[in-house]
Structure formats: structure tokens, C-alpha cells
Amino acid sequence: MRIHPLVHALHALPLLLGATTTLGAQSPASVAPPAQIHVATGDARSYFTNAWWIETAEGLVLIDAMCLRSDVDRLIATLRKTGKPLAAVFITHPHADHFGGLTQLKEAFPKARIIATSATAGAMQGVHDQALQPGGWLAALGAEYERRLQRPDSLVASGSTLRIAGLTYTVRDYGPAEAENNSVVYLHELSALFTGDLTVAGGAYFIGEQHSRLAQLALPKLLVDFPGAVTSYSGHFAPMPLAAVVQENTEQVRFFRLAAAAEFADSSSLTPSGVLNAAAMRRLTRTYAAFLRGRNTYGMGAVAVAQMNASGVVAEMRDAAAQVRVRPIHQQVRAGLRPLRYLLGRWRGTQFAADTSATATTASAPRALDIISEFVPVLGGAAYEGRMTASGYRFVLTLSYDVAQQRYRVAALDDVSGLLDIFEGILGDDGSLVVDNVRPGTFYANPSGVRVHTRLTFAPAAPDLFRLDVAESVDGGTTWRTVTQYQASQRLVP
Ligand SMILES: [Zn+2]
């Protein structure tokens, strides 16, 4: 991760400044002597950066150098406790949370080689200079940031294999992706791949440096270069099988790019000079933040990371406008979907049974069901996809616009009935979308064998919320009775 102006305000909070640092030795049970992998982890101020270190009878090898001076002091004390020499430090990429501790480490262990490829080493100075500028790491961290830069003293070519402290390491460059260059270090004997920030396990993938296209290409290449049962040790968070983390991270980057491409392809999102307008940027940020919910966001929150990624990918796509291949989706499709944009986002809501046949004698306490719903543009903005999740059932919706027939079509699939239900309809004068399954004919049969058709009404609701009413008909669509109402009550992502 690279620091961003937004982060500074967060760092000023005493809560974060007082956060404790987790620093300790952990040995995965699967790793048997004579080599053990340990980790030291920083706190939110350094985005929970990891320094992995490998211990053999002959000595220690460190992957990345942490950043905060107090973290590095503790790391040095931990390494010293082993009584073994630190043979080498590999630097995976030129971000200060991974190289900031080199000066202290070199002072403590002068004999340790500091190894990097020239692409990683070459970019460190620029990042460090920026860290000393107003608004940089130094301003955010004060005395915790080391002003002196220690450069790698052992440059190796990408693809080099080295024998250090009894083990075999291969270093490989993947070029610009999460950072200006991303190297990985493969430890052959343990099938362990130290990926720096080229992968991130369980966290938000950072594309703020405008290399999302290259990240999308680099990630799958890892699986080609390191096939089989390889464990990825990322620069932040826990180890994870390489194949799983690559797949997850690739999905993230794909989502970021698709959502941004959808905005660029919509003429109503652009200023006359071809830049995304403020409304489009807000929408994109909101979409990203919704997507990032549930992922670790380095203590910054989903919205802050969403803003960093949105500004990065938008700048990247704008600069490369001529090369960006946005799938040509008919402007009329986008125009058709535009009135449904109020659905986009992540919501908390309640579903009420609206059974009018129930006796009205009791104070009606409808069986309320808490539901989380999320609507995002998919396929580059060609359709919207909604997921509604309650305890007990899940519901996937696809909303599309048929230009030829000038009508909306909604596909709905739930994990209770397993019925892929197709609805068709049009927009009402009040902006609501009313679709039913009479014409498509995807009724279900009730226990008495009667054909039951369903009608869905999506309607915007003040303030900035929406409602979904579900009605049923047992006479082929002549009369309808509302059976359920879903009311979004809170937008979880601003
Ligand atoms: Zn990082």
C-alpha cells in the first residue's frame, strides 16, 4: 500500500495511534524443521504490513522490512533472540511499509545482504522522497518514520536463484501492478511464494497507482510460473493457497475495471472533455465500497480504499482512453438501465409479510426478516445484478433492458425453490419498475395445484431508499394480491 492523503486524517485519530502492534512468531504446523516460517505484523499505521522470516539452523532470511521504527526495533529484538545471523533481506516492492525499516535492520545486522531486483530498488528513492514531502509518510508518522533510506546492496536479475542459509530462493519480477514494480520470492524447499503486495489474502486489492490492467495480466501468470500446491505469503494478512488468492484478487481487479469501464461508456457520466463527472465518481466509489465490504481494508475503511482505487483506475483509463476496449454496449441499453440506478449499492432492509387474509384482530406484528441486499452493474454495465440475503434464503436477480422490445426483463433465482423465474414489464410513471411472469409463463403451482404468477415492483423511496413489493395472482394476472414487501431501511455504503 502507498499512503494517500485520505489516510492522514485517520492517522491523526488517537485511537489508531494508540493501537497495539502485533509482533510475534508463528510457525504453521505444516512447516517442519529444519526450516520455519515466522511473521511479524505491523499495526494499522503501516497497514498491517507483514515481514516474513525464515529460520534454519544456519541463519535467518527476512522478506520485507516493515516500516514503523518501533515495529522494526521489536523485529530486531525477535531476530536476535534466535541467536542466529540475519543472512539476507529481500524487498518485494517499492512501498515504504515494506522497505522503511531497512536502515535500522542494516545497522543492527551489517552483514545482512539486502536483495532486490533493479526495478524494485530503482523505484524506492522516488517513493521515499515522496514520503518526506508534506502529506507523506513522515508527516503522518512523525518519529516513527525513518528519514534515511537504506538502498538494497545486492541487486539480482529477475529469475535469479540464490542459495541462502541452507535454502533455495528464486526472485522474479512481474512489473507494475499493485506497485511500480512487484517482485516475488519463491522458497523452493517449502513451496512458499512470498508475493509482497502482488497478492493480498482477504484484503482489498490496491490499484491506486494506475496499473490495474497490468495487475490483471500479472496475477494469472503467477499460477503459470508457480504451479501445484504453492502457498502464498502476502505482504498483508494471512497465508493462503496461491491458486485461491490469485483467483480472488483477479476477480477484484476485474470488478474494479468493469465498473469503471461502464461509467466511461455512459455518455451521461462524462464531462465534455471526457472526464468522469462528480456524480459518476461518487457512484463508482459507492459501487467499489459496496464490493469491498467484508474485505480487510487496512484499517482505512471500505470508502477510503474505494476512493483511492476509483481515482487510480479512472486516471488509468482516461490516460489510456485510446487503448481501453470497452465492450460496445448499445447506448440505449444504458439509457434503459439508468432509471434503475437508485438500486445500486448495499442496503440493509426488512421484509414484511403482507398477508391480507390474516385476521386483523391482533396488533399486526408482521414476521419481519432482516435482509442485506446489494445491486451492482455487471458485464461492463450491460445489466445490473442484485443479491438479497436473509438467514434462510438467498436470492439472485438480474435486471436487463431489451432495446428491441422496449421492455425490462428480470431473472430471479432463489435457493429455496430453485426456480429461475423470468419477469417482464415496463417503467411506471412514478419511476417504479413493474414486472410479472405472466407472459414468460414461469408460474409455480401451489399445493392445491393452482398456477400462481408473481409480480415484482421496484420503486424508489425517499430518502434515497427503495422498496420491492411482491404480489401474486391465481387468475393468470387479472387480479393481484401483495404478499411481501421489502423495504430498504439503510444504505450501508454512502
Ligand atoms: Zn503493502
Side-chain angles (χ1 to χ4, degrees):
M1 292 291 299
R2 196 161 183 172
I3 203 161
H4 182 274
L6 281 164
V7 182
H8 305 154
L10 291 171
H11 283 149
L13 295 174
L15 185 69
L16 280 182
L17 289 172
T20 52
T21 300
T22 316
L23 193 82
Q26 299 166 5
S27 307
S30 58
V31 178
Q36 286 182 307
I37 299 175
H38 309 268
V39 67
T41 300
D43 65 26
R45 289 172 296 164
S46 57
Y47 310 120
F48 310 108
T49 190
N50 283 333
W52 300 100
W53 51 284
I54 301 101
E55 180 178 7
T56 63
E58 295 174 41
L60 312 175
V61 169
L62 182 61
I63 315 285
D64 286 339
M66 307 191 83
C67 179
L68 303 178
R69 290 189 58 91
S70 57
D71 280 347
V72 182
D73 283 340
R74 268 173 288 209
L75 174 61
I76 289 168
T78 306
L79 298 179
R80 280 196 170 130
K81 252 183 237 157
T82 66
K84 296 173 184 174
L86 177 63
V89 185
F90 284 97
I91 296 297
T92 58
H93 66 291
H95 278 171
D97 51 335
H98 300 264
F99 70 68
L102 279 178
T103 303
Q104 281 166 274
L105 284 163
K106 189 69 179 179
E107 281 170 359
F109 304 101
K111 287 184 183 158
R113 295 170 65 186
I114 302 177
I115 304 171
T117 66
S118 56
T120 288
M124 281 168 54
Q125 184 72 54
V127 174
H128 180 69
D129 289 346
Q130 207 181 331
L132 303 183
Q133 295 299 309
W137 285 83
L138 183 64
L141 298 175
E144 280 279 39
Y145 189 76
E146 171 59 60
R147 289 167 167 272
R148 297 165 299 162
L149 173 65
Q150 168 69 51
R151 291 186 192 77
D153 50 25
S154 179
L155 296 186
V156 295
S158 175
S160 299
T161 295
L162 303 92
R163 188 93 186 147
I164 308 173
L167 298 173
T168 318
Y169 296 86
T170 296
V171 184
R172 199 175 289 280
D173 270 351
Y174 286 84
E178 191 266 353
E180 200 170 322
N181 183 64
N182 295 81
S183 316
V184 303
V185 181
Y186 185 61
L187 171 50
H188 292 253
E189 287 82 355
L190 298 184
S191 299
L193 187 67
F194 299 93
T195 52
D197 287 359
L198 186 54
T199 68
V200 59
Y205 201 93
F206 176 62
I207 54 163
E209 293 191 21
Q210 308 178 26
H211 308 305
S212 70
R213 188 180 67 84
L214 294 174
Q216 206 173 20
L217 298 175
L219 280 163
K221 201 161 177 295
L222 284 174
L223 298 183
V224 177
D225 295 343
F226 302 99
V230 172
T231 302
S232 163
Y233 295 79
S234 300
H236 303 260
F237 316 125
M240 195 169 161
L242 180 67
V245 74
V246 163
Q247 187 184 346
E248 198 282 337
N249 289 178
T250 306
E251 279 297 318
Q252 283 198 49
V253 178
R254 181 183 297 140
F255 178 90
F256 295 139
R257 289 181 57 81
L258 281 177
E263 292 292 354
F264 272 99
D266 186 337
S267 55
S268 74
S269 297
L270 303 174
T271 66
S273 57
V275 179
L276 285 195
N277 60 35
M281 282 304 292
R282 275 198 302 275
R283 208 160 41 230
L284 187 62
T285 304
R286 201 161 66 202
T287 303
Y288 283 5
F291 178 76
L292 290 173
R293 290 272 161 190
R295 290 183 168 86
N296 195 311
T297 49
Y298 311 90
M300 284 184 277
V303 172
V305 177
Q307 283 170 333
M308 292 161 69
N309 277 358
S311 51
V313 79
V314 162
E316 178 183 352
M317 288 192 170
R318 187 193 56 220
D319 292 349
Q323 295 119 15
V324 171
R325 308 296 294 181
V326 176
R327 286 184 183 278
I329 294 165
H330 208 289
Q331 282 300 319
Q332 290 176 49
V333 173
R334 297 178 190 288
L337 287 171
R338 201 169 295 137
L340 303 179
R341 271 195 156 151
Y342 63 85
L343 289 170
L344 296 179
R346 189 173 171 85
W347 312 83
R348 173 173 291 130
T350 311
Q351 180 172 308
F352 301 98
D355 190 347
T356 51
S357 69
T359 58
T361 50
T362 52
S364 63
R367 280 187 306 122
L369 198 57
D370 285 329
I371 293 184
I372 298 293
S373 60
E374 182 177 303
F375 288 83
V376 296
V378 292
L379 304 176
Y384 290 171
E385 188 173 278
R387 287 175 184 271
M388 302 181 79
T389 309
S391 57
Y393 85 96
R394 285 170 298 172
F395 205 25
V396 180
L397 297 158
T398 305
L399 294 89
S400 68
Y401 182 65
D402 182 331
V403 173
Q405 298 190 34
Q406 297 195 0
R407 68 176 69 217
Y408 293 86
R409 211 162 284 127
V410 176
L413 181 62
D414 66 81
D415 69 351
V416 175
S417 74
L419 173 69
L420 179 60
D421 212 342
I422 308 293
F423 300 83
E424 285 188 0
I426 58 171
L427 285 180
D429 293 336
D430 61 350
S432 62
L433 172 66
V434 185
V435 291
D436 65 55
N437 62 1
V438 174
R439 196 172 94 142
T442 47
F443 57 83
Y444 75 89
N446 72 11
S448 329
V450 175
R451 291 180 174 194
V452 181
H453 287 96
T454 308
R455 186 181 71 188
L456 308 177
T457 303
F458 299 85
D464 191 30
L465 297 171
F466 78 93
R467 211 183 68 230
L468 169 58
D469 294 346
V470 182
E472 288 183 351
S473 173
V474 291
D475 55 13
T478 309
T479 58
W480 295 95
R481 184 175 67 92
T482 301
V483 292
T484 305
Q485 290 181 317
Y486 170 75
Q487 177 76 55
S489 56
Q490 185 193 359
R491 194 188 259 286
L492 294 176
V493 176

